[in-house]
């Protein structure tokens, strides 16, 4: 295949955009070659600027779960766009999609919509810290939760090793509050908890790891995390940006019958538009402003275009019981 037009577009982009891309993985540096510039997409296929038709196995990193340009989503977005694209004020649409999401996912009472999975995970950590009144968190090596400061950490392999940032711009103070554990290693997590007694607010995990290859949890791992969190007044956060509404209607909590305290969502909720969300039981979510002291806000949070696309997508998934069968 020829990519002359894509190469030209990339050269032009490099002059005005850092690295020529607005997200680093798009630069193709890890795999070589020149980024492919997409012109359009439909169903399972991408059509690039050079006229090539490509099978899309990535699906915009997940949200195009029913294929590109899925008609109910497209029609919903067009309809809403004609009524206005952003108000900075509430709409009935937000309540409708919130009620549907809460009905699909076990163990949550309330949900708040944001603009990305990164924002959802960042907000969940802040909420956990505010609710527990503790500062430290445990994350797992190889699990990605977005690019906020708390997650770009290399904390060292020892249970009491101080963390150091692995991205410039992350302060040492932030790094020290993030402890790094080994995925599928309950003993390692136990050691971290014992070495930081009564200091850990939350454990955040991709319950089925997807950012270091697809690595399922070992038998007993998620249940073990649940028991450790319960015993030590730590909130368990499932980052279901990739797994939510995909592995099952209710995500990993439903599939494995494990209760999380906070769940983070993204991508698939918006049907391709920028969106994320985090959800929990009522007593935790009521710690958010305006009801509680933990501040989180966003002018475009719950914007009508994303909510319309997300509602159309979730309705399709909720109504198609066969989608989640083996």
């Amino acid at each position: 295949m020829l990519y002359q037009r894509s190469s030209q577009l990339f050269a032009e982009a490099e002059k005005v955009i850092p690295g020529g891309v607005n997200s680093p993985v798009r630069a193709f540096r890890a795999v070589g070659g020149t980024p492919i510039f997409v012109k359009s997409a439909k169903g399972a296929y991408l059509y690039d600027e050079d006229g090539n038709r490509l099978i899309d196995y990535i699906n915009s990193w997940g949200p195009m779960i029913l294929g590109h340009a899925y008609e109910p989503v497209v029609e919903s977005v067009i309809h809403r766009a004609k009524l206005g694209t952003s108000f900075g004020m509430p709409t009935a649409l937000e309540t409708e999609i919130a009620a549907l999401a809460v009905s699909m996912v076990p163990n949550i009472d309330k949900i708040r919509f944001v603009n990305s999975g990164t924002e959802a995970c960042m907000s969940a950590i802040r909420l956990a810290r505010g609710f527990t009144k503790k500062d430290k968190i445990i994350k797992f090596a190889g699990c990605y939760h977005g690019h906020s400061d708390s997650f770009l950490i290399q904390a060292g392999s020892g249970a009491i090793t101080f963390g150091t940032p692995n991205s410039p711009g992350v302060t040492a103070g932030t790094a020290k509050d993030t402890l790094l554990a080994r995925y599928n290693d309950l003993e390692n997590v136990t050691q971290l908890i014992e070495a930081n007694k009564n200091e850990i607010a939350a454990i955040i995990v991709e319950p089925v790891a997807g950012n270091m290859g697809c690595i399922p949890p070992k038998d007993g791992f998620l249940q073990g995390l649940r028991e450790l969190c319960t015993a030590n007044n730590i909130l368990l956060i499932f980052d279901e940006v990739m797994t939510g509404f995909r592995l099952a209607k209710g995500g990993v909590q439903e599939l494995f019958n494990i209760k999380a305290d906070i769940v983070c969502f993204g991508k698939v909720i918006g049907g391709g538009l920028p969106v994320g969300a985090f959800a929990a039981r009522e007593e935790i979510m009521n710690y958010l402003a305006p009801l509680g002291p933990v501040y989180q806000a966003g002018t475009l949070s719950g914007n009508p275009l994303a909510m319309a696309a997300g509602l159309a997508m979730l309705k399709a998934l909720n109504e198609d019981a066969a989608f989640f069968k083996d």
Side-chain angles (χ1 to χ4, degrees):
M1 289 185 178
L2 298 177
Y3 297 105
Q4 183 176 357
R5 177 63 176 154
S6 284
S7 296
Q8 293 173 345
L9 289 170
F10 184 53
E12 294 171 9
E14 286 184 298
K15 297 175 183 177
V16 290
I17 301 173
V21 293
N22 284 306
S23 186
V25 294
R26 299 177 192 172
F28 277 39
R29 289 188 176 182
V31 296
T34 299
I36 298 169
F37 278 64
V38 177
K39 188 172 186 179
S40 65
K42 179 66 178 177
Y45 299 98
L46 297 174
Y47 301 87
D48 68 18
E49 289 284 354
D50 289 278
N52 301 307
R53 187 182 79 161
L54 310 169
I55 299 175
D56 185 7
Y57 291 99
I58 300 176
N59 298 315
S60 189
W61 305 95
M64 317 316 297
I65 189 171
L66 298 178
H68 291 282
Y70 180 61
E71 286 300 326
V73 171
V74 172
E75 291 169 3
S76 294
V77 171
I78 291 173
H79 172 71
R80 291 303 311 188
K82 291 178 179 179
L83 301 176
T85 59
S86 176
F87 310 121
M89 299 174 70
T91 65
L93 193 58
E94 297 166 67
T95 304
E96 187 176 359
I97 186 174
L100 177 56
V102 167
S103 73
M104 293 173 70
V105 180
N107 310 314
I108 66 171
D109 299 317
K110 293 184 177 181
I111 187 169
R112 177 163 285 182
F113 292 98
V114 291
N115 298 294
S116 69
T118 292
E119 191 178 339
C121 292
M122 175 189 73
S123 301
I125 289 296
R126 182 183 301 164
L127 177 58
R129 285 171 166 155
F131 184 78
T132 63
K133 299 178 175 58
K134 294 185 285 186
D135 294 334
K136 294 184 178 181
I137 64 168
I138 291 176
K139 69 176 289 288
F140 293 88
C143 287
Y144 179 71
H145 307 292
H147 63 270
S148 66
D149 287 0
S150 293
F151 304 129
L152 296 180
I153 303 298
Q154 177 62 51
S157 59
I160 58 174
T161 302
F162 279 157
T164 56
N166 66 357
S167 174
V170 179
T171 68
T174 298
K176 290 176 182 178
D177 284 335
T178 301
L179 308 172
L180 197 69
R182 292 188 293 271
Y183 187 76
N184 273 332
D185 190 338
L186 280 176
E187 183 178 351
N188 181 223
V189 177
T190 302
Q191 291 171 350
L192 285 173
I193 293 173
E194 289 298 320
N196 298 272
K197 204 70 175 178
N198 300 318
E199 295 183 84
I200 299 171
I203 295 176
I204 186 168
V205 63
E206 287 184 85
V208 176
N211 284 288
M212 51 180 169
C214 183
I215 302 179
K218 291 181 179 178
D219 289 344
F221 176 63
L222 295 180
Q223 183 61 43
L225 291 181
R226 176 65 276 169
E227 292 170 359
L228 284 170
C229 286
T230 300
N232 292 277
N233 190 30
I234 296 170
L235 297 187
L236 179 60
I237 303 174
F238 278 0
D239 176 353
E240 294 219 48
V241 167
M242 295 179 70
T243 58
F245 306 106
R246 299 182 68 87
L247 294 185
K249 285 185 183 181
V252 167
Q253 289 192 100
E254 176 186 327
L255 189 65
F256 290 97
N257 193 29
I258 304 291
K259 292 183 179 180
D261 294 302
I262 305 176
V263 191
C264 301
F265 302 110
K267 293 181 170 65
V268 69
I269 298 178
L273 273 71
V275 74
F278 59 105
R281 62 184 184 270
E282 187 172 23
E283 64 176 309
I284 295 175
M285 293 302 284
N286 284 353
Y287 251 69
L288 287 171
L291 295 178
V294 177
Y295 191 74
Q296 180 276 327
T299 300
L300 289 175
S301 295
N303 77 85
L305 293 188
M307 296 296 93
L311 183 60
M313 184 66 75
L314 288 189
K315 280 183 174 179
L317 296 178
N318 190 49
E319 293 167 1
D320 188 359
F323 180 83
F324 294 102
K325 292 182 179 179
D326 293 334

